[in-house]
Amino acid sequence: MQIAKSAYAFRLDGNPISCEAFGHGHINHTLKLTTDTGAEYVLQRINKYVFRDPVRLMANVSAVTDFLRTRVEDPRMALHFIPTHDGLYYHRDEDGEFWRVYDFVGGFCLDMPESDEDFYQSALAFGRFQHLLSDFPAETLYETIPEFHNTVDRYRQFKASVKADNVGRAAGVQADIDFLLEREELACSLQKMRESGELPLRVTHNDTKLNNVLLDKATRKSLCVLDLDTVMPGLSLHDFGDSIRFGAATAAEDEKDLSKMRMDLHLFEVYTKGFLEAAAALTDTEVKMLPMGALSITLELATRFLKDYLDGDLYFKTAYPEHNLVRARTQIKLAADMQSKWDDMNRIVAEVAAQVRK
Ligand code: GN1
Ligand code: MG
């Protein structure tokens, strides 16, 4: 493949000799670059339809990775972005596209855990991310997607869509609407605790899925977390919660057979253990609220899917007309299952915390 012209804007070690498509991300365009000194890099074009402000996005990403690099013993544990000849972490080409380059580190990612250990490794990686950034001034980061996990605001938007009922779908989903409205106070409790200062503002990743964790090829241990595009100020509990919502669920987000959707308490325990071992700087209140992190993010996502269904499917990509409704219902089922296991979730958190927090 021809060398992408933007590669020459960066301070590379050597001259680029090869450039090939790399990875299978759905958002950014990713290439692997090799130079005549054998140096290897990842060159990415940022999707500016998804990310409206690539300059602020890169300000967040580079501030966080620069900070992480001063805190890790193995350089593979933090992404290393390469500046341009102008000293910026992004290059804007003549078409107005934004590019960035970081060091290529060997390793691999998994879409699904193949064992408890894999899931545990992802918990260590996200816990470590939280821990290493615990004294980073989170308030200095831009909110690249404003009010992303402001559940109060999500409910406000949801209720507005119910009221507007733009495509006439509300009557058919009244039971689902009622389920979510009955749990509004619960779902919004963390946001209230953030506003009152009971929960600290943290640097959050906001896409804490297993496939954003880089594993070492030889040891299969986690090295670092990738995809920092949605790094923002937020609550540690949302990052924890989203990992549980996605990774400890027994079915896919769009499983139609609701009887298959549950939260696996064993996987909840595996993840909690790894997360608490690594994220030692969490406050006692944060630890206590971990189960609420999982429940509130699940309810929040249910409102987002159902809102989108009521709006006529404007935000999430759908493959068929009921897709968002199916997704909303799996999240509702998952939330209901969490509530039925509430005492066990709290007991597990207390037991794990007693073991690992000395
Ligand atoms: C979107 O596209 P993906 O999978 O990275 C969404 C998340 C949701 C997720 C649900 C920017 O993330 O908040 O949890 O779908 N991202 C954005 O599948 O809205
Ligand atoms: Mg993502």
Side-chain angles (χ1 to χ4, degrees), residues 317-337:
K317 281 194 197 126
T318 50
Y320 53 92
E322 311 281 296
H323 206 162
N324 272 319
L325 178 58
V326 167
R327 290 169 175 148
R329 285 182 171 157
T330 62
Q331 299 304 302
I332 285 174
K333 174 69 199 298
L334 186 59
D337 193 56

Side-chain angles (χ1 to χ4, degrees), residues 3 41 62 74 148 157 210:
I3 312 283
Y41 301 97
S62 57
D74 179 340
F148 193 52
Q157 294 186 38
L210 180 74

